[in-house]
Amino acid sequence: MYVSVPPMEIESRSLAIIDAEVPEPRPFAGDQWAVARRMIHTTADFDLLSHIRFHPAAIQAGKDALLAGADIVTDTRMALSGIPVRRLEPLGCTVRCLIDDPAVAKRAKSEGVTRAWAAVDEVMAHGGADIFVIGNAPTALYRLLDWMERGARPPKLIVGMPVGFVNAAESKELLLAQDAIPYITIVGRKGGSSLAACVINALLKLAREPRGS
Amino acid sequence: MYVSVPPMEIESRSLAIIDAEVPEPRPFAGDQWAVARRMIHTTADFDLLSHIRFHPAAIQAGKDALLAGADIVTDTRMALSGIPVRRLEPLGCTVRCLIDDPAVAKRAKSEGVTRAWAAVDEVMAHGGADIFVIGNAPTALYRLLDWMERGARPPKLIVGMPVGFVNAAESKELLLAQDAIPYITIVGRKGGSSLAACVINALLKLAREPRGS
């Protein structure tokens, strides 16, 4: 039955339901649980709990980067739309997506690569970024790791969650195979722009309102 | 292992993989399978196949509405971002989301309702819309059905896929309990802006490139 719930309480009730349905001991604790729980909240897909992977330094790196005014790059406009730009701006953060940039379209066409791949090249050719949020394109993650292997300036965090059936799982295995750059990822085929974006929301919340305070 | 795939082939290879992993007889056939398959493509979540529900007239209603230049309203900016506005405009379609409209914020605050609820009121108070795409807010779907019960102008299609733990499943049960308005939905908690948006993409593809042609 539909239950009338005051708007301000919908989120906290939802999170309490997830807490109750994933009893302790949980697969993640503390801040990692806060991020994982947000991902369940976004999809209602508890299966993710077996597939989420955190680099041990990822949460702290993400919080620090946001509080220091991160330059955030997303692979899709959907991920961009899911990130609360207005709440990030006071911290000095910027959020951008180059997928529709004319220079990217031109580069993709002339080189026969995806626009997501060309967008990473465009970002890296101009100094890189602090946080990459990849929710759709395996080619974006693969290309970013390619730049890293060649010694380019690393980001502070990679939220690497491309979804799909061609190279998505493989690109995330490559991300997991390195430990120089902090990452948050989902092994296997699952992922998506909503998931990648919600990780930034969760990190922002943790950065601004430390748990227990 | 990462395999280099020409950009133009990534989608068709992905869809072929899904076809292969869901052998005949499938839970959906024809155009319904094309839409359901797109939803799997967007999430890599095969569990959806047990939860997707089509009103029998939904696919035709959706295609007809798009070809006639539908006025499409989404509940979130993410869903809006996931809809290919540039490919819809030549058909005369418009796509809008009122969640950030100042009149909606004002209405939500003064009435103590969610902005998603107030946005539906704003749309309905000004003549309604042809297609509602609801990927996030149960309150949007609930409020829309409330207007329908009171005899307001019905949309031609409701893509009703709010996600979550508070009222999402319940709002979709209400949608399924009526058959006057064609719908595409997902029973239970799952849903999301990416899923709701990809249904429009799938319908657009079906409308423009009928299968078999």
Side-chain angles (χ1 to χ4, degrees):
Chain A
M1 211 192 96
Y2 183 89
V3 181
S4 179
V5 178
M8 300 302 289
E9 289 180 24
I10 293 174
E11 181 174 304
S12 59
R13 283 207 198 184
S14 300
L15 298 178
I17 290 169
I18 300 170
D19 277 343
E21 295 193 16
V22 186
E24 311 248 19
R26 302 196 173 105
F28 304 102
D31 284 357
Q32 290 189 352
W33 173 242
V35 174
R37 185 175 61 172
R38 174 67 49 181
M39 294 168 74
I40 305 299
H41 178 262
T42 295
T43 56
D45 184 1
F46 287 92
D47 172 55
L48 291 175
L49 288 178
S50 326
H51 300 99
I52 298 169
R53 298 287 184 275
F54 294 94
H55 182 286
I59 302 270
Q60 195 60 50
K63 291 195 291 187
D64 290 348
L66 293 178
L67 291 174
D71 173 31
I72 304 168
V73 170
T74 71
D75 67 332
T76 61
R77 280 179 294 122
M78 278 200 88
L80 182 69
S81 301
I83 292 176
V85 179
R86 280 178 299 189
R87 276 185 286 143
L88 285 163
E89 277 171 351
L91 300 174
C93 296
T94 50
V95 192
R96 55 197 173 111
C97 173
L98 298 190
I99 201 81
D100 292 322
D101 187 295
V104 166
K106 197 176 157 188
R107 194 192 277 265
K109 199 171 175 184
S110 72
E111 298 175 18
V113 297
T114 64
R115 283 192 297 150
W117 173 294
V120 168
D121 280 356
E122 188 71 14
V123 171
M124 294 308 300
H126 295 88
D130 296 318
I131 300 180
F132 277 87
V133 179
I134 300 174
N136 186 62
T139 53
L141 181 53
Y142 182 75
R143 186 55 168 168
L144 178 59
L145 293 170
D146 206 23
W147 277 90
M148 296 305 109
E149 231 173 63
R150 288 182 285 141
R153 175 201 154 203
K156 295 169 178 171
L157 175 67
I158 298 175
V159 179
M161 306 185 173
V163 60
F165 297 86
V166 174
N167 288 329
E170 293 80 356
S171 69
K172 291 179 282 189
E173 287 302 325
L174 284 173
L175 178 62
L176 280 159
Q178 63 83 46
D179 63 4
I181 306 162
Y183 56 76
I184 303 175
T185 188
I186 302 167
V187 296
R189 291 165 163 180
K190 288 183 177 178
S193 299
S194 305
L195 280 166
C198 89
V199 169
I200 299 299
N201 293 5
L203 290 172
L204 176 62
K205 208 169 164 65
L206 289 171
R208 290 176 51 160
E209 313 157 20
R211 287 158 8 94
S213 72
Chain B
M1 211 193 97
Y2 182 90
V3 181
S4 178
V5 178
M8 301 302 288
E9 288 179 24
I10 293 175
E11 181 174 303
S12 59
R13 284 207 198 184
S14 301
L15 298 179
I17 290 169
I18 300 170
D19 277 345
E21 294 193 16
V22 186
E24 310 248 18
R26 302 197 172 103
F28 304 102
D31 284 357
Q32 289 190 351
W33 172 241
V35 174
R37 185 175 59 170
R38 175 66 50 181
M39 293 167 74
I40 305 300
H41 178 262
T42 294
T43 56
D45 185 1
F46 286 92
D47 173 56
L48 291 175
L49 289 178
S50 326
H51 300 99
I52 298 168
R53 299 286 184 276
F54 294 93
H55 182 287
I59 301 271
Q60 194 61 48
K63 291 195 291 188
D64 289 349
L66 293 179
L67 291 174
D71 173 29
I72 304 168
V73 170
T74 70
D75 66 334
T76 61
R77 279 178 296 122
M78 278 199 89
L80 181 69
S81 301
I83 292 176
V85 178
R86 281 178 300 188
R87 274 184 287 143
L88 284 163
E89 277 171 353
L91 298 174
C93 296
T94 51
V95 192
R96 56 198 172 111
C97 172
L98 298 190
I99 201 79
D100 292 323
D101 188 296
V104 165
K106 197 175 157 188
R107 194 192 279 263
K109 201 171 174 185
S110 72
E111 298 175 18
V113 296
T114 65
R115 283 192 297 150
W117 173 294
V120 168
D121 280 357
E122 188 71 15
V123 171
M124 295 309 299
H126 295 89
D130 296 317
I131 301 180
F132 277 87
V133 178
I134 299 174
N136 187 63
T139 53
L141 181 53
Y142 183 76
R143 186 54 168 169
L144 178 59
L145 293 170
D146 206 24
W147 276 91
M148 296 304 109
E149 231 173 62
R150 289 181 284 140
R153 175 202 153 201
K156 296 169 178 170
L157 175 67
I158 299 174
V159 179
M161 305 184 174
V163 59
F165 297 86
V166 174
N167 288 329
E170 293 80 355
S171 70
K172 291 179 281 191
E173 287 302 326
L174 284 173
L175 178 61
L176 280 159
Q178 62 84 46
D179 64 3
I181 306 162
Y183 57 76
I184 303 175
T185 188
I186 301 168
V187 295
R189 291 164 163 180
K190 287 183 177 177
S193 300
S194 305
L195 280 165
C198 89
V199 168
I200 300 298
N201 294 5
L203 290 172
L204 175 62
K205 209 169 161 65
L206 290 171
R208 290 176 51 163
E209 310 157 22
R211 286 161 7 97
S213 72

